[in-house]
Amino acid sequence: MNDALIFESLFLIFLFANIALGFYLYLREAKSIREHRNKVPHVFSGLVSLDAHKAASDARLYADKVNEIRHLSNLVLVLLLTFGGGVTWFSTLLTNQLGSGLFTQILFALVVALAFLVINALFLAIAKNPEKNSSYLILRNFGSTRSKVSNVVFFVLIVSAVLTCWSIGVSSWWILAWAVSAALVIGASMVSRTVAYPVHPLADGELKSRLDKFLEKIGFESQGVFAADSDRLGSGSGVFISGFGTNKKVIVTESLIERLNPSEIEAMIANEIGQYKFQTGFKAYLPYLILSFIFFGLLAYFSTKPWFFQGLGISSGFDVNHGVVLVLFSLAAYVFFFPLIPLRNALLWKAEENAERSSVKLVDWNAMISGTAKFASDKAGSVTLDPLYLVFNSTRTDSMHRIMDIQHLAPRHTRQRDSWLPNA
């Protein structure tokens, strides 16, 4: 058995295993939601009615089903591009029309990415459901329009930078591409922290005075607490910290102020400060730096192996087209690395856990739990999700898992048997 046939066999095995795994995870998720559909979790008692809980459960099931079909459609597109001859046909078409220069290679990679984006956009349109809570669930599964646009712009920059580095022709091009992409990722992360949300200073009063004293007490230097009309800040928690150094602003949504008491607002701010500290330091970028270094190293290696192209159904001669190689390797990585997604998400969850571990020492952990429950009560927070499904499909833990984590991390001597807490 030659190398090309071995690689082809492995690729197809992993691809169909992805389909089977995705279907299995969806069945687990559906079972978990249905089993808990007819009873509101204890922590949400008094916050969510049974009818609202059932509606949220049904909306989540619908969104997850659409998400699973979307995943299957992406894998079908991978097959069409590789063994279906899509990459060969489109690359030949562009080369005949525009030549084989850098612009053509960038355009090729961007158009293929656009095909996947169109599929995701179609399923986003299908997933739109007039039922209550569905808009929030769709945002969790597919992302907001604003995030989609920023992701597209960022992707164009990354692809253009990588292919430009590759076109230089030096043997260490992949290290240069890794360094440039890392700089872009870190830079984009910093820019996202300086996004100008429409805010206004918090009105003078007891709440402002209390929050200012709280920030001073914990030693968090900032320009103070501001209020925002939008309910979709960058963190998705109703609290967001923008800026760096002494120019930081603690932004709280008006809906959070209306629904939570001062102790709960303090707790939510404390948690976001913990998130901020663990998301802006070098350790926050270390997983990406390591994984992207491996990605570009493997890209450089596979780009010189004829069996890599033959194993994906591509005829010889395309190894000189860097855009084609980048697309093929990205498709292969999408298939082979799917089982490793939990490892990436586990690292992100660990950062959340560290943030919660530091914040429970600063505030009343009961207030942190009640604040989390109140904020999530109209955002399908009461829906009981399957842990295994969640670790494959979400970079952040859900409300129920966060609440249990906070309980577990709270100093032991402060734990009390409150009747409304789960597993107290």
Side-chain angles (χ1 to χ4, degrees):
M1 184 179 289
N2 59 40
D3 293 338
L5 187 57
I6 293 174
F7 184 76
E8 177 182 338
S9 301
L10 286 174
F11 180 81
L12 292 175
I13 289 172
F14 269 79
L15 187 142
F16 288 107
N18 280 354
I19 295 175
L21 179 60
F23 185 65
Y24 169 71
L25 292 173
Y26 169 72
L27 291 179
R28 284 181 57 104
E29 170 82 338
K31 179 182 178 182
S32 176
I33 293 175
R34 290 192 179 105
E35 284 180 348
H36 299 88
R37 180 181 180 274
N38 295 318
K39 183 179 180 181
V40 179
H42 211 174
V43 69
F44 287 94
S45 297
L47 298 174
V48 179
S49 67
L50 180 58
D51 288 340
H53 174 67
K54 288 181 177 180
S57 298
D58 294 340
R60 177 75 201 207
L61 274 173
Y62 178 78
D64 286 341
K65 179 167 64 176
V66 173
N67 192 42
E68 178 55 29
I69 299 173
R70 177 185 66 91
H71 176 234
L72 177 62
S73 300
N74 284 335
L75 292 174
V76 170
L77 181 56
V78 170
L79 275 176
L80 292 175
L81 288 171
T82 52
F83 298 102
V87 166
T88 300
W89 172 80
F90 187 59
S91 177
T92 302
L93 176 66
L94 281 184
T95 301
N96 291 339
Q97 297 294 324
L98 303 173
S100 58
L102 177 61
F103 173 77
T104 303
Q105 299 308 309
I106 293 175
L107 181 62
F108 173 82
L110 294 180
V111 172
V112 172
L114 179 63
F116 285 94
L117 183 64
V118 168
I119 286 180
N120 283 270
L122 288 174
F123 279 101
L124 173 61
I126 294 171
K128 286 185 178 179
N129 192 322
E131 295 293 330
K132 186 179 179 181
N133 299 321
S134 63
S135 61
Y136 175 75
L137 294 173
I138 292 168
L139 285 171
R140 283 187 64 97
N141 274 1
F142 299 97
S144 65
T145 302
R146 180 175 183 173
S147 68
K148 288 293 183 185
V149 173
S150 62
N151 287 343
V152 169
V153 173
F154 181 69
F155 180 78
V156 171
L157 290 175
I158 285 284
V159 170
S160 301
V162 169
L163 291 177
T164 300
C165 292
W166 202 341
S167 68
I168 295 175
V170 297
S171 59
S172 58
W173 68 266
W174 64 275
I175 297 179
L176 178 61
W178 168 74
V180 171
S181 68
L184 286 173
V185 168
I186 296 174
S189 176
M190 296 179 69
V191 168
S192 69
R193 279 287 173 186
T194 60
V195 172
Y197 289 98
V199 300
H200 55 85
L202 198 62
D204 291 332
E206 182 180 346
L207 178 60
K208 183 179 186 305
S209 176
R210 174 169 178 162
L211 295 180
D212 287 341
K213 290 179 180 178
F214 173 70
L215 294 178
E216 182 179 356
K217 173 185 173 183
I218 64 176
F220 188 74
E221 295 183 356
S222 68
Q223 295 184 358
V225 182
F226 293 76
D229 295 330
S230 173
D231 198 26
R232 293 175 185 166
L233 296 180
S235 65
S237 65
V239 182
F240 183 71
I241 298 174
S242 67
F244 296 92
T246 57
N247 292 322
K248 296 190 295 291
K249 292 181 179 179
V250 179
I251 306 173
V252 183
T253 63
E254 293 283 3
S255 62
L256 193 79
I257 296 174
E258 292 173 0
R259 299 173 58 188
L260 273 59
N261 63 44
S263 296
E264 293 166 342
I265 296 174
E266 274 186 3
M268 300 294 278
I269 290 176
N271 184 261
E272 188 61 26
I273 289 175
Q275 300 282 357
Y276 178 86
K277 290 180 177 179
F278 283 97
Q279 289 175 3
T280 56
F282 175 74
K283 288 183 178 180
Y285 303 111
L286 190 58
Y288 171 80
L289 295 175
I290 294 173
L291 294 175
S292 61
F293 186 84
I294 295 173
F295 177 90
F296 284 109
L298 291 175
L299 172 60
Y301 172 78
F302 283 106
S303 66
T304 63
K305 304 300 178 184
W307 50 261
F308 170 71
F309 301 93
Q310 296 165 10
L312 293 176
I314 308 299
S315 58
S316 60
F318 285 92
D319 54 324
V320 296
N321 296 332
H322 299 157
V324 172
V325 182
L326 179 61
V327 166
L328 287 176
F329 183 76
S330 299
L331 295 177
Y334 178 72
V335 171
F336 283 109
F337 291 168
F338 181 73
L340 299 180
I341 289 177
L343 181 61
R344 179 203 65 180
N345 289 347
L347 293 173
L348 297 173
W349 288 17
K350 186 64 177 179
E352 280 195 6
E353 183 181 316
N354 290 334
E356 288 159 358
R357 179 178 286 108
S358 65
S359 58
V360 294
K361 299 176 183 178
L362 303 176
V363 295
D364 177 11
W365 69 275
N366 289 279
M368 186 176 294
I369 289 179
S370 60
T372 300
K374 286 181 181 179
F375 183 75
S377 60
D378 65 340
K379 298 176 176 60
S382 63
V383 179
T384 303
L385 308 180
D386 178 69
L388 187 59
Y389 180 90
L390 197 65
V391 78
F392 268 92
N393 289 276
S394 179
T395 57
R396 301 193 68 177
T397 55
D398 67 324
S399 302
M400 291 294 293
H401 285 86
R402 277 195 63 207
I403 288 171
M404 288 187 284
D405 285 343
I406 293 170
Q407 277 187 278
H408 176 72
L409 295 169
R412 188 170 297 275
H413 69 279
T414 68
R415 300 181 189 178
Q416 299 176 9
R417 186 168 293 279
D418 294 325
S419 61
W420 62 275
L421 291 176
N423 305 320

